[in-house]
Amino acid sequence: MDEKIKRIIFIKEDMLKIVVCSSVFLLMVNCDKANTVLESKSNTDSKKTVDSASKNEDIRVAEKISIKDNILRPEVTEKTTTTNAEIFQKFQESTYDRTDLKERLENHKTALTSLSDHKIFKAISGPLLKKLSSQHQSFFSAHPQYELLSVTKGSLTSAAESDHVFIVFDKNESIIKILVYQADKNSYRELYRTAKVENGLEDAGCNYSTFGTLDYQMGEEIIEQKEFLEKNVGQFFIAKPIILQGLKKDENFAPEHSCFSKGMSTAKKVRFVAIPTSQVYSNWECLTYQSSSDSFLIFYGQAFAD
């Protein structure tokens, strides 16, 4: 074969080898790149999977904590709330402070104010004030809005015989108030406001019920006697409270026909004040002082026991 032709063939073969090798190299490079991309993507996906698993684990842990908290916390919260509610609901609010009796209370106050305006309460208050000690006279002089309607003296909150219970008409508020003077503390306190009152008869299981707190009941009874009071100015006095120690059957009380709060009976020789809830019948509600809570407990109720 001609030497020139051989040289051309060799050149073509070398070029073909170069082309083939170049193609193979490019393919290898591309494969490496592809593998690198795939490996990178795989690592990224793995990282995402790990991160996702970690997040899911965190969520599961948080859910477990939340579930645990939801199981434990309501019990504690409920117990605390109930305790606070029990403390709050233990003591009575005066009927005069109720916002759902607006019209009824307005009529009630108007009737009492009319008696005061006609000097009927003043005619009752004058003779009673003269019988008080100078200390109590000074108190009423300092509080001219109070017209004294009834008063009693005795041992109520301590062994001292100088405690007082006053029933007054407040001209500024047009309501009846019951004031207790505690000799050992030398303080005047108002039932239902500055002196807390617990009604032990509410859950006593007795066939006994009345409407309104004692201050309001006193006001209603006075209004019932409005016509008589107007015709007998200065000749009729409001039934007075009684301070006693140990409740027993007598001309005022009929325990067998009345209601005691739980744990109370005639056997309990407690000091108490009996507040008349009627000007005609022998109706009473009795309160005893509880030093542990510095409050008064209504422990006895008597209605139409004549």
Side-chain angles (χ1 to χ4, degrees), residues 56-73:
N56 289 338
E57 181 62 25
D58 290 342
I59 291 171
R60 282 195 294 271
V61 171
E63 286 177 346
K64 287 180 180 179
I65 293 173
S66 178
I67 292 170
K68 183 178 179 181
D69 287 347
N70 288 335
I71 291 173
L72 296 177
R73 285 178 185 169

Side-chain angles (χ1 to χ4, degrees), residues 76-115:
V76 175
T77 302
E78 184 178 349
K79 185 175 181 181
T80 303
T81 302
T82 302
T83 301
N84 290 336
E86 287 174 352
I87 293 172
F88 180 75
Q89 295 174 2
K90 181 179 179 181
F91 302 109
Q92 286 189 300
E93 174 189 41
S94 172
T95 302
Y96 286 124
D97 295 332
R98 288 178 54 175
T99 57
D100 59 327
L101 300 173
K102 185 175 180 180
E103 184 176 352
R104 182 171 188 162
L105 289 175
E106 284 300 319
N107 293 335
H108 177 98
K109 292 177 180 180
T110 299
L112 291 175
T113 300
S114 175
L115 288 168

Side-chain angles (χ1 to χ4, degrees), residues 263-275:
M264 299 296 285
S265 68
T266 53
K268 299 283 186 178
K269 303 301 180 183
V270 296
R271 297 186 183 93
F272 68 93
V273 58
I275 305 290

Side-chain angles (χ1 to χ4, degrees), residues 17 27 47 57 59 91 147 172 176 226 235 258 270:
K17 287 179 181 179
L27 180 61
K47 184 178 180 182
E57 181 62 25
I59 291 171
F91 302 109
E147 292 184 307
N172 292 346
I176 298 295
K226 184 174 183 292
Q235 299 178 22
S258 303
V270 296

Side-chain angles (χ1 to χ4, degrees), residues 23 34 38 46 50 62 67 95 162 176 200 237:
S23 299
L38 288 174
S46 297
V50 171
I67 292 170
T95 302
S162 50
I176 298 295
F237 291 90

